[in-house]
Amino acid sequence: MTDTPHSGCRAGCGACCIAPSISSPIPGMPQGKPAGTRCVQLDDNNLCRLFGDPRRPRVCLAFNFDADLCGSSRSEALQRIEELEQLT
Ligand code: SF4
Ligand code: SF4
């Protein structure tokens, strides 16, 4: 697995760092984060501050661009990930 955005991922989107809940600890968020809350590691350009950092949660490495989920815009992604959260 590589630590680079999967091809197709919109740099600066960051929807998958906001909409889903993350149960594993994140530096600065030891309890993880609730759904709909912006990760503290998401910088002002909506890029992860932990790229290449071993402290980056595994779940973040595992989240790859998925056309069905990411849609064609950031707002589509936010909405779809939020819907998925409500189903799980
Ligand atoms: S929601 Fe999709 S397009 Fe947006 S940052 Fe995450 S993987 Fe990339
Ligand atoms: S640690 Fe990085 S990739 Fe994971 S949710 Fe936070 S900003 Fe996104």
Side-chain angles (χ1 to χ4, degrees):
M1 208 175 337
T2 58
D3 195 16
T4 50
H6 195 269
S7 63
C9 173
R10 293 179 295 273
C13 166
C16 55
C17 306
I18 299 169
S21 58
I22 294 181
S23 53
S24 44
I26 302 164
M29 296 180 121
Q31 311 297 323
K33 74 169 209 66
T37 297
R38 193 182 168 84
C39 177
V40 293
Q41 298 297 339
L42 193 62
D43 71 12
D44 292 343
N45 297 315
N46 286 332
L47 298 172
C48 178
R49 293 188 176 96
L50 297 180
F51 264 126
D53 187 317
R55 294 173 303 159
R56 190 168 181 237
R58 289 179 66 87
V59 64
C60 302
L61 289 169
F63 194 100
N64 273 336
F65 179 84
D66 175 343
D68 285 342
L69 204 51
C70 301
S72 55
S73 69
R74 179 167 191 268
S75 56
E76 236 174 63
L78 282 169
Q79 196 184 354
R80 291 182 187 188
I81 298 170
E82 193 185 321
E83 282 168 10
L84 184 75
E85 274 288 317
Q86 284 161 4
L87 296 174
T88 50

